[in-house]
Amino acid sequence: MIDWTPFLITLKLAFITTSILFVVSIPLAYWLAYSKVKLKFIFEAMVSLPLVLPPSVLGFYLLVAFSRESPLGQFLDNYFDLSLPFTFPGLVIGSIIYSLPFMVQPIQAGFQNLPLALKEASYTLGKSRLQTIIKVLLPNIKASLLTGIVLSFAHTIGEFGVVLMIGGNLDKTRVASIAIYDSVNKLDYSTAHTYSLVLLLFSFAILAVVYLFNKKGLRAVK
Amino acid sequence: MIKFDIHKQFTSHGRVVNLSLKAACEEGKIIAVYGKSGVGKSSLLRMLSGLTVPDKGVITVGDEDWFSSSAKKNVKTNKRSIGFLFQDYSLFPNMSVLKNILYGVEGEPDQELIDRIIAIGDLKELLDRKPETLSGGQQQRVALAIAIVRKPKLLLLDEPLSALDAEMRVKLQEEILAINSIVKTTILFVSHDLPEVFKLADEVLVMEDGVFTKRGTPSEIFASEKVDVMGEVVSSDEGENSKSLRILVDGKIIGVKIPK
């Protein structure tokens, strides 16, 4: 009998991570797209860092930062009674940081590809920056938003290094990719096959959806 | 009365441009800003709209300061009562034509005004369509309706008809005049097109080297044959009631009839 719990944990993690990332990334991507601050490149590099950093490195530093020996870990423990290592909230925070560029970059590119005149025209019609973002900019970058959502979701599902470092291999934190690794270690190839096939099909379906909608989005722009 | 005395230095095409512009415009008048490319005509409109901040100076509309460097005051673009018709249409692709027109209307829409503007612009058949399905002329007619429907104190037109063919240009000129006869706003427009200036403008501000060098009615400004600000007069015919000029501007011959 296949235990589907790792998939439920994975989907829950991906859903929560993507939801939080969506809310956080819109203002961040807007700032990166339009800000003229000279040191912007530093923030762009920080956002993109998870793309090139080995997941184990990121996971290690997060584990150290969350531990009770660190100032951050002590602060969270003392003031919020929160311990992040080897817990689901810890997994969520690690996933958010790890998938940040997958949400921010498509949205930033979407903003940058819009004609500046759209934003300016909205201001001349009496609309504030927030109204302009909600009523004009976001509706015109739907394809970018969808790309960000789907890529972040898919990337969170495929995580291994970061979640292993922060969450370990416990029942409450074992996501699908770790369950595959665990099954192989136990020489349970049948379960590993099943888990792997489900992840493979799911990942393919997600990417197919992205390309389908991007094609439609491009056609609408034309 | 709309008054401004503004200064701005910027770099355009590798060249430093110093603008020092001072004028007072009577309310309800249509004023053309005329000058060669790159002298800063569009920058003037952008400063009046708040999209570009002047280095120093003052902009006063009625009894309200929109910008005052000495008082460190700069009213944001969205708080200024303006309409801005850009050269490149700038309709919102996600909205229908009707939603575009209503986008800038605050509070309860003035349905009678909206209906009249839609009728003048011949937009009734287009209301449910998306901007991408419209021709250039249709898009600019919608953009004009959007800018004017909120009854701005100052309407800024940045070469609004330059991308249109001659027939559509004339139609839009008629529309601008018809619409302004209803809302009676002050219009400042940038144009390279002399017939357009003659058709629309009550007054012309000639801009050279970053300052206004001449001001007057189109006939006063362009009656002289030494109109070096716009180009070279290649021929001139004196008629009984008018004088016809053929002028070389940017490689094109333009015909202008000046009433006597």
Side-chain angles (χ1 to χ4, degrees):
Chain A
M1 184 68 183
I2 296 286
D3 177 14
W4 293 103
T5 310
F7 280 99
L8 292 178
I9 293 173
T10 305
L11 288 175
K12 186 176 155 194
L13 177 66
F15 181 77
I16 293 172
T17 299
T18 307
S19 303
I20 294 173
L21 267 179
F22 185 71
V23 176
V24 169
S25 297
I26 289 173
L28 181 57
Y30 179 90
W31 184 79
L32 290 174
Y34 295 116
S35 170
K36 289 175 182 161
V37 172
K38 280 184 183 167
L39 294 178
K40 192 172 80 173
F41 69 94
I42 291 176
F43 293 94
E44 285 182 306
M46 282 169 66
V47 169
S48 301
L49 206 54
L51 290 175
V52 292
L53 205 61
S56 50
V57 173
L58 183 64
F60 171 70
Y61 279 125
L62 287 174
L63 190 62
V64 171
F66 294 159
S67 72
R68 284 206 176 93
E69 280 72 43
S70 79
L72 176 65
Q74 283 172 9
F75 173 79
L76 292 172
D77 194 27
N78 292 340
Y79 290 95
F80 299 98
D81 194 21
L82 190 64
S83 176
L84 292 176
F86 309 111
T87 64
F88 187 77
L91 280 190
V92 171
I93 292 175
S95 296
I96 287 170
I97 295 169
Y98 189 47
S99 293
L100 189 65
F102 291 86
M103 184 70 89
V104 171
Q105 289 188 347
I107 300 176
Q108 184 185 348
F111 282 137
Q112 284 169 333
N113 287 334
L114 286 178
L116 193 60
L118 274 189
K119 194 161 74 114
E120 294 186 336
S122 180
Y123 293 160
T124 66
L125 293 168
K127 301 300 177 197
S128 66
R129 187 188 300 182
L130 185 62
Q131 287 171 317
T132 301
I133 291 172
I134 293 170
K135 292 182 177 176
V136 174
L137 303 186
L138 291 180
N140 285 301
I141 58 163
K142 277 183 194 159
S144 302
L145 294 175
L146 185 74
T147 303
I149 289 169
V150 175
L151 285 182
S152 303
F153 196 87
H155 192 244
T156 306
I157 282 176
E159 273 176 41
F160 181 78
V162 174
V163 289
L164 185 62
M165 290 295 252
I166 300 175
N169 188 10
L170 309 174
D171 285 348
K172 60 180 179 179
T173 57
R174 189 183 299 121
V175 294
S177 58
I178 292 171
I180 293 168
Y181 176 75
D182 197 35
S183 302
V184 171
N185 269 350
K186 291 175 184 165
L187 300 178
D188 181 2
Y189 279 44
S190 165
T191 304
H193 266 307
T194 310
Y195 284 161
S196 299
L197 186 63
V198 172
L199 271 192
L200 177 73
L201 293 176
F202 195 76
S203 302
F204 174 77
I206 281 175
L207 286 176
V209 167
V210 171
Y211 282 108
L212 177 71
F213 275 90
N214 269 348
K215 203 173 158 190
K216 280 186 179 172
L218 283 175
R219 214 179 293 143
V221 169
K222 282 174 191 168
Chain B
M1 187 72 85
I2 293 169
K3 291 187 282 187
F4 56 88
D5 180 4
I6 42 180
H7 307 268
K8 177 85 180 171
Q9 186 182 68
F10 60 94
T11 306
S12 171
H13 301 104
R15 194 170 61 88
V16 176
V17 178
N18 278 297
L19 296 183
S20 186
L21 301 165
K22 183 178 178 180
C25 308
E26 215 177 298
E27 271 169 40
K29 294 276 184 193
I30 301 182
I31 294 149
V33 181
Y34 194 86
K36 287 179 180 168
S37 295
V39 294
K41 302 185 296 296
S42 296
S43 299
L44 167 64
L45 299 197
R46 290 182 64 83
M47 285 192 281
L48 293 175
S49 71
L51 292 172
T52 298
V53 182
D55 294 337
K56 61 177 181 174
V58 62
I59 300 170
T60 307
V61 175
D63 51 7
E64 188 191 359
D65 282 346
W66 283 1
F67 177 79
S68 171
S69 53
S70 58
K72 291 190 169 31
K73 183 176 183 183
N74 182 27
V75 176
K76 282 184 177 176
T77 300
N78 62 313
K79 301 289 182 197
R80 298 185 185 194
S81 176
I82 54 163
F84 201 135
L85 191 51
F86 296 84
Q87 205 171 340
D88 49 0
Y89 316 138
S90 307
L91 303 184
F92 305 115
N94 56 310
M95 300 177 200
S96 67
V97 166
L98 181 61
K99 283 190 175 165
N100 263 283
I101 292 172
L102 297 177
Y103 181 70
V105 178
E106 301 288 340
E108 196 62 30
D110 181 345
Q111 198 55 48
E112 194 187 332
L113 174 68
I114 292 168
D115 290 343
R116 289 179 76 179
I117 288 173
I118 287 171
I120 291 170
D122 201 12
L123 303 174
K124 201 166 183 184
E125 302 298 314
L126 310 178
L127 292 178
D128 294 329
R129 285 169 60 177
K130 285 283 177 77
E132 73 208 26
T133 67
L134 306 180
S135 68
Q138 287 170 330
Q139 289 195 34
Q140 203 59 322
R141 275 153 57 199
V142 175
L144 178 63
I146 295 169
I148 202 102
V149 80
R150 45 195 312 256
K151 294 187 275 187
K153 285 182 181 165
L154 179 60
L155 179 60
L156 305 163
L157 313 178
D158 190 0
E159 298 193 53
L161 315 179
S162 61
L164 306 179
D165 60 48
E167 193 184 339
M168 186 51 71
R169 211 177 298 161
V170 172
K171 185 172 162 46
L172 259 290
Q173 288 163 6
E174 298 286 354
E175 272 182 32
I176 290 171
L177 290 173
I179 288 176
N180 203 45
S181 69
I182 304 170
V183 293
K184 294 185 177 57
T185 186
T186 309
I187 298 179
L188 221 70
F189 78 100
V190 165
S191 179
H192 279 110
D193 187 49
L194 275 183
E196 189 170 290
V197 171
F198 273 88
K199 176 107 181 176
L200 295 179
D202 297 312
E203 277 191 291
V204 183
L205 289 166
V206 176
M207 205 166 155
E208 287 176 285
D209 300 325
V211 294
F212 294 132
T213 53
K214 291 174 189 168
R215 178 174 188 164
T217 64
S219 300
E220 286 166 357
I221 294 291
F222 300 117
S224 158
E225 290 193 20
K226 282 201 64 74
V227 277
D228 53 343
V229 288
M230 56 187 193
E232 186 185 350
V233 177
V234 292
S235 72
S236 164
D237 287 314
E238 293 283 344
E240 197 175 318
N241 299 316
S242 64
K243 178 178 177 181
S244 298
L245 298 176
R246 292 175 73 232
I247 303 159
L248 182 64
V249 185
D250 293 337
K252 282 195 294 187
I253 299 282
I254 293 170
V256 181
K257 191 173 270 187
I258 302 167
K260 280 187 174 171

